[in-house]
């Protein structure tokens, strides 16, 4: 593992333990070059997933991007970081076990919408405003009306 401080190629694992969510291994490492200590996380990856964007561009699935977009939607809401990690892990697992090596950004957005709907209605609407590309206040009103109807049912 390359040292983030000096770029040295070798480091020694000083401590390993499961992370809080149990989906990864947390490792404390020490660089053999500069002696600096840093933490890495190791996760199981079942298959490489490529994301097909709406403009035709293709890129590798990045968990960090997904996590960041969900965190933005959940900002200042009563949602714990662990809930976000579980949601992201669930979505990633669904993508990796789907049997498809390529998924669309819209499919990922749909999975996020499904997850946020059960987690928090405000985060759900926030994410939807970007995902569904709301352009007018009327769009928010109509969508919020459907959320309220679902909540009453």
């Amino acid at each position: 593992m390359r040292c983030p401080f000096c770029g040295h190629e070798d480091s020694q694992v000083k401590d390993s333990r499961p992370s809080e969510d149990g989906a990864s291994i947390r490792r404390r490492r020490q660089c053999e070059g500069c002696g600096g200590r840093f933490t890495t996380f190791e996760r199981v990856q079942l298959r490489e997933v490529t994301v097909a964007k709406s403009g035709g561009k293709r890129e590798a699935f990045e968990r960090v991007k997904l996590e960041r977009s969900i965190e933005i939607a959940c900002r200042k809401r009563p949602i714990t970081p662990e809930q976000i990690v579980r949601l992201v892990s669930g979505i990633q697992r669904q993508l990796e076990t789907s049997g498809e090596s390529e998924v669309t950004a819209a499919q990922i957005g749909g999975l996020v919408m499904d997850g946020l709907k059960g987690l928090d209605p405000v985060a759900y609407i926030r994410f939807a405003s970007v995902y569904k590309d709301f352009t007018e206040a009327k769009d928010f009103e109509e969508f919020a009306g459907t959320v309220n109807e679902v909540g009453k049912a």
Side-chain angles (χ1 to χ4, degrees):
M1 177 66 59
R2 178 172 296 183
C3 175
F5 307 114
C6 70
H8 192 268
E9 292 289 329
D10 295 321
S11 63
Q12 185 177 31
V13 175
K14 294 294 185 183
D15 180 47
S16 290
R17 65 179 68 161
S19 64
E20 293 84 24
D21 66 353
S24 61
I25 301 291
R26 178 185 182 274
R27 299 194 193 282
R28 282 295 289 161
R29 297 176 176 270
Q30 183 170 359
C31 174
E32 293 182 0
C34 70
R37 289 186 175 226
F38 56 99
T39 302
T40 60
F41 290 88
E42 186 178 303
R43 295 186 186 278
V44 172
Q45 182 173 343
L46 298 175
R47 83 169 22 136
E48 292 286 326
V49 176
T50 302
V51 180
K53 302 284 199 161
S54 58
K57 185 177 169 188
R58 286 168 168 52
E59 59 185 51
F61 171 77
E62 291 183 48
R63 178 189 172 91
V64 175
K65 280 183 164 182
L66 178 61
E67 202 164 321
R68 192 175 329 124
S69 67
I70 293 173
E71 284 171 352
I72 290 168
C74 295
R75 192 172 289 151
K76 295 186 180 180
R77 298 300 302 154
I79 299 167
T80 66
E82 291 78 24
Q83 288 174 299
I84 294 172
V85 167
R86 274 196 304 273
L87 176 59
V88 172
S89 293
I91 292 169
Q92 183 176 9
R93 187 73 57 231
Q94 282 181 278
L95 296 173
E96 290 175 349
T97 59
S98 71
E100 300 294 322
S101 60
E102 184 172 288
V103 296
T104 64
Q107 288 173 300
I108 295 172
L111 292 172
V112 173
M113 293 283 291
D114 291 343
L116 287 176
K117 184 185 279 187
L119 202 57
D120 184 77
V122 173
Y124 175 66
I125 291 171
R126 285 179 180 168
F127 188 84
S129 70
V130 175
Y131 173 65
K132 294 188 177 285
D133 196 26
F134 293 162
T135 55
E136 299 177 17
K138 173 177 60 99
D139 297 336
F140 277 102
E141 287 178 37
E142 291 171 2
F143 187 75
T146 65
V147 172
N148 286 337
E149 290 169 13
V150 170
K152 292 176 185 175

